[in-house]
Each structure stands twice: as C-alpha cells, then as structure tokens.
Amino acid sequence: VTAPPRVAATTIRYAPRLRPAKLRAMASTATWMGDVLKVGLVYERPWWREAGFSGSVISDAGPLAQLWDGSDDSLNKYALCGLAHGAVAAQLGGVTADRQAELIGRQVARVFRQKAAPDL
C-alpha cells in the first residue's frame, strides 16, 4: 500500500497498533500537492494559441492559481491544465462538476479575453 502519511494514519488499521505519537506525527505531516485540485480542460483545437496566447497563466483572482498548455500536438490533443490550492481547492472540490465548469470557464474566458470559454 502506498499512501500519504495523513491518509495512512486515518484510514489504515495497523496490527499491532502504532504508537499514538507516531499516528499524530503521520496525521500532521503535510503532503506535497495534497491540498491541490488538478484540472484538465480538453479542447478540439488550441484556440488560445490561435488568439495569440501561450496558455501560461498565474492568477490570484482564481479559482485556478495556475494554467498551462498541456497539449500533445503529435496526437492532435489540446488541453489547458490548471491547479487550485488550499481553501480554494477545498471550496471548488465541494461544488458540483457543473458549477466547477462554470467557475473555471469564467476564469478561462477572462484571462484569455474571450466572451466565453469555448466548449470543452
């Protein structure tokens, strides 16, 4: 089993039991990228490039803090990938997929100066 310490401490039953100090240490260990929501937005064409943008965005106006071009041109697969962090990731993870798409779509439209984000 491979699991981040916090998950291992709270979801796995150990026999023999681990010492309480060990469980507390595991439960309080931060996990790199553990509080990050990852997003992939797949499109039929790289419309952001066609509009003159690289696809790279750093934003404090969110919900995504970062966006980048995650396309594979050799396969004709075009995507923007993004990350939301911390409390914003938790909030975004707590809403429906439709609401996530709406919020992220608004941001994509705003940062790439489109009237609306193209359909996924």
Side-chain angles (χ1 to χ4, degrees):
V1 174
T2 301
R6 190 177 329 173
V7 173
T10 59
T11 61
I12 298 173
R13 290 187 195 172
Y14 296 91
R17 290 183 183 204
L18 297 179
R19 294 183 328 270
K22 171 79 106 185
L23 285 172
R24 281 192 303 277
M26 290 169 66
S28 65
T29 299
T31 303
W32 180 76
M33 300 294 280
D35 65 345
V36 175
L37 183 108
K38 296 95 180 164
V39 175
L41 310 168
V42 180
Y43 297 97
E44 291 184 14
R45 63 186 224 297
W47 58 267
W48 56 96
R49 293 183 198 162
E50 295 165 3
F53 296 101
S54 68
S56 296
V57 174
I58 303 293
S59 174
D60 61 358
L64 301 179
Q66 294 173 263
L67 279 166
W68 66 92
D69 187 331
S71 302
D72 186 336
D73 293 327
S74 70
L75 296 175
N76 293 320
K77 302 289 183 185
Y78 307 103
L80 291 170
C81 299
L83 302 173
H85 305 273
V88 174
Q91 290 170 351
L92 201 55
V95 300
T96 67
D98 286 344
R99 180 70 174 143
Q100 289 174 356
E102 177 187 343
L103 294 169
I104 293 168
R106 280 191 208 156
Q107 180 183 13
V108 167
R110 183 177 68 248
V111 299
F112 292 111
R113 299 181 189 144
Q114 305 293 307
K115 290 181 182 173
D119 289 336
L120 297 172

